[in-house]
Amino acid sequence: MSARRTVCRMAALALSAAAAGCGPTPLFVPRGPPPTRTVVPVQPPREAPPSNDIERRLLAAHNAERAQVGAPPLRWADNLEAEARVWAQELIGSTRFAHDPALHGHGENLWTGWGGRAWTPEEMVGEWAAKKANYRHGVFPDVSRTGDWVDVGHYTQVVWRDTTHVGCAVESRGDRTVLACRYAPPGNIDGRRAY
């Protein structure tokens, strides 16, 4: 192998082939070393009974869906509830509605409703459960009749057999309500079945 080909091959592996004169300039040329990712240890679920009626009903709504598919019931974890509350407060205090970008290591379902009405825990979880209409039993991510797992991802997280704990928080402000739930271990894992 020629010295130029060796340099080009090594440069291509480092994403700087253009800088080595080996080909066209790529659309993205990193500057400096690649960013390092911080490994955040995942806290194990800290089991505790739900602290109020809303939490009890959220847990019961999850477990009703799980019972329909033979998945074991979830248990409440107060550290997951606390984590979900921080994100629900962040969302209700802003105009954003997006999954938490933090590397928390847990599954997450989000729901929001407008109109200034009182949403029941059963209605909120029920909207995730309604997505089972597009669910096709299979190996994740090939689990949706639409061809896109995102269309059933909330439902599959609710009923994911390997998930053992959940913690949720509801926050309201003005005419908007946000529900955030965290799950441990997370669901929606490629190569596995929901139940």
Side-chain angles (χ1 to χ4, degrees):
M1 182 179 282
S2 73
R4 184 178 189 310
R5 286 171 76 194
T6 302
V7 168
C8 288
R9 188 166 174 227
M10 290 170 50
L13 293 173
L15 296 175
S16 58
C22 302
T25 303
L27 295 175
F28 170 74
V29 177
R31 296 174 189 227
T36 57
R37 291 182 59 178
T38 304
V39 176
V40 178
V42 176
Q43 295 295 318
R46 190 175 55 233
E47 198 167 316
S51 61
N52 61 45
D53 187 52
I54 298 293
E55 291 177 359
R56 280 187 286 283
R57 290 170 64 190
L58 287 166
L59 179 60
H62 276 81
N63 286 334
E65 286 302 318
R66 294 173 68 84
Q68 289 183 22
V69 298
L74 295 174
R75 297 181 305 277
W76 195 261
D78 64 355
N79 59 328
L80 295 177
E81 180 270 327
E83 192 178 280
R85 183 159 313 283
V86 168
W87 191 241
Q89 289 171 342
E90 170 72 25
L91 292 175
I92 203 71
S94 71
T95 58
R96 294 185 312 149
F97 186 73
H99 285 285
D100 187 349
L103 300 174
H104 50 73
H106 300 122
E108 178 177 71
N109 271 352
L110 299 175
W111 175 93
T112 193
W114 290 270
R117 62 170 283 227
W119 301 90
T120 69
E122 296 79 13
E123 287 173 316
M124 292 184 276
V125 174
E127 288 196 18
W128 295 333
K131 295 182 179 190
K132 68 184 164 193
N134 285 322
Y135 176 73
R136 176 181 66 209
H137 197 60
V139 175
F140 199 85
D142 188 23
V143 293
S144 176
R145 288 184 174 91
T146 68
D148 187 354
W149 72 266
V150 172
D151 294 334
V152 298
H154 291 108
Y155 170 69
T156 52
Q157 177 57 87
V158 168
V159 298
W160 198 264
R161 175 174 293 283
D162 295 336
T163 298
T164 59
H165 290 80
V166 65
C168 303
V170 178
E171 293 289 331
S172 296
R173 182 176 295 169
D175 70 343
R176 183 174 174 220
T177 299
V178 170
L179 166 65
C181 291
R182 295 284 172 92
Y183 303 85
N188 298 342
I189 307 295
D190 284 356
R192 298 187 187 170
R193 293 183 180 271
Y195 53 86

